[in-house]
Amino acid sequence: MSILPSPKQSYLTGIRDSFLPVLLFLTVLGTWEFFTWYTDYPKSILPRPSAIFLAIVDNWGLLTSHIIPTASVALGGFVIATLLGLFLALLMSWSVFAKEALYPNIVGFQIVPKIAWAPLFVLWLGIEFESRLGFAVFISIFPIIISMTAGLRNTDPSLVKLCDSLTATKLQTLFLVRFPYSLPYLISAMKMSVTLAMIGVIVGEFITSREGLGFLILVAFGKLQTDLMLASVLFLCFVGLFFYSFIAFASYRLEVWFGNK
Amino acid sequence: MLGFLKEKVREHGIANSRQIILPIAFFTLVVLLWQYTVDQKFFPAVILPPPGDVVDIFLANRKFMWGHAVSTLYECFLAFICACAIGLSVSCIITLSYFARRAIYPNLIIFQLIPTIALAPLFILWFGIGTEARVAYGICLALFPIVVSSSTGLLNTGDTYLKLCSSLTAGRWQTFKSVRLPFALPLIFTGLRIGLTLTIIGVVVGEFVTAQSGIGYLISFAASGLETAISLAAIVYLLVVGLILFTALVCIEFVVLRIFSGVAAP
């Protein structure tokens, strides 16, 4: 962590520093377990951590079968949003006309809380996966457009001047200079956008769905099986973590490929 | 402030009228296209109501919809204030205590990965279907970005400034108050802006799930009754709520930045 200022690091503080967060985590978990066991707290309100673990073991097949619909729709939405957003950002930095016409509208549109459109997507695209896919694309495309447009605009002016004096065409400058230099913007936007795609799919599943982890959470909620609810949330964490680390890896490869690293 | 804005506008040079006319022209084109598709009956009115209907409903049901909007506004405001208070105090503790930082910070980063949106039903289970559930859920969603970005800001003060402080024998609290905090303010406000967006999301999703009152309830209720025009009009009201909250936050940011560092908001 570069964020943490490092005082004199001895061997011992090194060990202490890596154990402290784990210790805190285990303490909270232990207190939770002890408290719920000691007071015999209603299982439907706050199940014990061990009960959540048992729920995962018991419902392993159910949970894993619901991962696929959620993860595939989220991934699909994210990929479509990235490609479409990239296309729009490139279009807007290629043509001043397109940018002046589109950009203020996009920024203005972004102010509307996008989550509010979820029921309308169900109304427009039906209750199958299309509505969730559409909604995921809709909510995850904005960070890509906005941050890529900023990235493509903020290229080092001296580089653009160099391209101009070497008589590079506008397209050449765009794809060979502006695009590689805006990769960091794209990567941070992709990280934001994959989280938003997950949110979109889960909210869509809350509204109407017959499959997916969001649906499973609602079903477990209806049956007051709070342990299964928390188990599904945990599985969602794993899906999110997987996507996030995949993007981190892909971004590293991309940077190597474009020679930024 | 008005003079400052004028100056800003001149600086950025909205010199040619094209930059104003083109977006408006594009917007008008989209609305005209919308009206055209409605006239040609490509889609049933249930799917795509004419834009005129949306405006009519927006104006005709002012009182009724504004009541729901006020309920959403109130809940968002309450949740955001609480999230700010909790989030900023946690990040102050993280900054001031080395021990707390080592113990809490990595856990925060990991907990950020939990898709908090999935916890909505759990909050109903814990807090019932009233205002409390939605406010608590809004706080839960907004808390992490506020804590993470404000503690990042507070911890990343330039090394040279910190060294200067310690050579001038400034205490930890003095350093915090007069060096770390002013330097972190832009990042803190970035976190607060993200937090505000998430608070609104939290409250609206809470209203989707609990269905009692508020704009979110109105949207999902109208959509399930195939009243698309009402849903769209309600979304416009939600936009108004969001704009009110954002304008307030930006004004506060402007004033605070002026007071603390004499540097105007970028």
Side-chain angles (χ1 to χ4, degrees):
Chain A
M1 284 270 123
S2 57
I3 286 165
L4 306 172
S6 51
K8 275 177 201 161
Q9 285 276 336
S10 79
Y11 182 57
L12 226 91
T13 53
I15 289 179
R16 197 190 70 176
D17 289 347
S18 47
F19 268 102
L20 263 177
V22 179
L23 199 69
L24 181 78
F25 183 71
L26 289 180
T27 316
V28 170
L29 218 61
T31 322
W32 177 0
E33 175 86 37
F34 178 75
F35 169 76
T36 41
W37 168 78
Y38 187 74
T39 59
D40 204 13
Y41 211 72
K43 190 168 165 278
S44 56
I45 295 189
L46 194 68
R48 285 148 59 175
S50 55
I52 298 171
F53 180 72
L54 281 180
I56 292 180
V57 175
D58 287 346
N59 300 299
W60 182 259
L62 184 70
L63 284 163
T64 43
S65 71
H66 281 287
I67 283 185
I68 306 288
T70 304
S72 55
V73 174
L75 188 66
F78 165 70
V79 169
I80 296 173
T82 308
L83 294 177
L84 206 62
L86 211 57
F87 170 74
L88 280 174
L90 285 171
L91 177 75
M92 282 194 290
S93 62
W94 177 64
S95 140
V96 184
F97 185 80
K99 181 169 181 182
E100 285 181 351
L102 286 175
Y103 196 66
N105 278 304
I106 290 175
V107 172
F109 199 71
Q110 222 228 347
I111 303 170
V112 188
K114 288 174 285 298
I115 212 90
W117 293 84
L120 286 171
F121 273 82
V122 175
L123 203 137
W124 287 331
L125 298 173
I127 58 165
E128 290 302 323
F129 77 94
E130 293 93 338
S131 64
R132 297 194 287 281
L133 187 70
F135 187 58
V137 171
F138 172 69
I139 116 173
S140 59
I141 198 171
F142 286 96
I144 304 262
I145 298 178
I146 285 179
S147 114
M148 257 327 255
T149 313
L152 290 169
R153 192 183 48 215
N154 286 349
T155 321
D156 191 351
S158 53
L159 280 173
V160 178
K161 268 183 200 155
L162 176 67
C163 290
D164 280 347
S165 49
L166 291 175
T167 66
T169 62
K170 218 171 167 186
L171 267 182
Q172 277 176 322
T173 317
L174 185 60
F175 280 101
L176 299 176
V177 177
R178 283 187 190 274
F179 183 67
Y181 273 89
S182 59
L183 272 181
Y185 288 85
L186 179 65
I187 288 156
S188 67
M190 275 162 83
K191 284 178 185 161
M192 243 189 284
S193 150
V194 79
T195 322
L196 285 174
M198 288 274 294
I199 289 180
V201 174
I202 295 167
V203 171
E205 283 173 353
F206 276 169
I207 290 174
T208 114
S209 163
R210 279 168 291 174
E211 53 186 5
L213 286 169
F215 165 73
L216 196 61
I217 288 174
L218 272 197
V219 169
F221 172 59
K223 291 199 259 176
L224 281 183
Q225 288 180 328
T226 314
D227 47 354
L228 185 58
M229 264 169 91
L230 286 169
S232 319
V233 171
L234 210 61
F235 266 63
L236 277 175
C237 289
F238 291 140
V239 176
L241 193 63
F242 175 74
F243 282 158
Y244 198 86
S245 43
F246 180 74
I247 289 172
F249 175 74
S251 65
Y252 176 75
R253 297 298 316 169
L254 263 179
E255 294 225 317
V256 169
W257 192 40
F258 276 99
N260 286 5
K261 254 180 196 155
Chain B
M1 192 165 163
L2 218 82
F4 169 78
L5 280 179
K6 267 183 196 160
E7 207 173 277
K8 246 334 189 210
V9 168
R10 213 174 301 136
E11 236 172 68
H12 285 283
I14 303 192
N16 47 352
S17 47
R18 232 172 69 138
Q19 284 180 343
I20 300 169
I21 293 170
L22 261 179
I24 296 173
F26 181 75
F27 182 76
T28 323
L29 190 75
V30 170
V31 173
L32 285 179
L33 202 70
W34 177 3
Q35 184 66 51
Y36 176 74
T37 45
V38 171
D39 288 344
Q40 296 294 310
K41 297 205 167 38
F42 288 138
F43 304 106
V46 169
I47 303 270
L48 198 69
D53 278 15
V54 178
V55 177
D56 280 349
I57 287 175
F58 180 80
L59 294 176
N61 299 324
R62 265 197 307 276
K63 227 170 185 170
F64 167 67
M65 287 194 166
W66 184 242
H68 282 289
V70 166
S71 142
T72 304
L73 183 66
Y74 170 71
E75 282 170 4
C76 288
F77 177 74
L78 212 64
F80 184 63
I81 295 290
C82 294
C84 285
I86 301 171
L88 292 181
S89 21
V90 169
S91 49
C92 286
I93 293 169
I94 288 179
T95 318
L96 287 173
S97 148
Y98 178 80
F99 187 78
R101 183 191 316 154
R102 293 289 176 185
I104 296 174
Y105 202 80
N107 277 311
L108 270 180
I109 300 286
I110 290 181
F111 265 77
Q112 227 193 348
L113 287 172
I114 297 179
T116 29
I117 208 88
L119 295 175
L122 214 61
F123 276 81
I124 297 166
L125 200 72
W126 288 336
F127 295 95
I129 56 166
T131 306
E132 299 92 337
R134 293 190 287 273
V135 169
Y137 186 55
I139 294 173
C140 166
L141 242 66
L143 198 59
F144 284 110
I146 292 178
V147 172
V148 168
S149 90
S150 53
S151 42
T152 308
L154 288 170
L155 289 172
N156 274 346
T157 323
D159 263 349
T160 36
Y161 299 109
L162 292 181
K163 272 182 195 151
L164 177 66
C165 286
S166 53
S167 55
L168 291 174
T169 66
R172 211 191 302 189
W173 173 244
Q174 271 179 314
T175 316
F176 179 82
K177 193 183 62 178
S178 36
V179 178
R180 280 190 191 273
L181 189 61
F183 271 98
L185 276 177
L187 215 64
I188 290 178
F189 274 104
T190 310
L192 290 186
R193 262 186 254 149
I194 301 173
L196 183 58
T197 318
L198 284 171
T199 314
I200 298 174
I201 290 183
V203 171
V204 172
V205 170
E207 285 168 352
F208 280 168
V209 184
T210 54
Q212 255 199 333
S213 66
I215 289 290
Y217 157 71
L218 207 59
I219 293 168
S220 68
F221 184 72
S224 63
L226 295 183
E227 299 276 4
T228 315
I230 296 182
S231 289
L232 287 172
I235 287 177
V236 179
Y237 272 99
L238 188 60
L239 173 65
V240 174
V241 169
L243 276 182
I244 291 173
L245 288 167
F246 256 100
T247 316
L249 183 63
V250 169
C251 289
I252 292 170
E253 176 176 355
F254 184 83
V255 171
V256 170
L257 285 184
R258 267 278 156 103
I259 291 171
F260 262 91
S261 42
V263 179

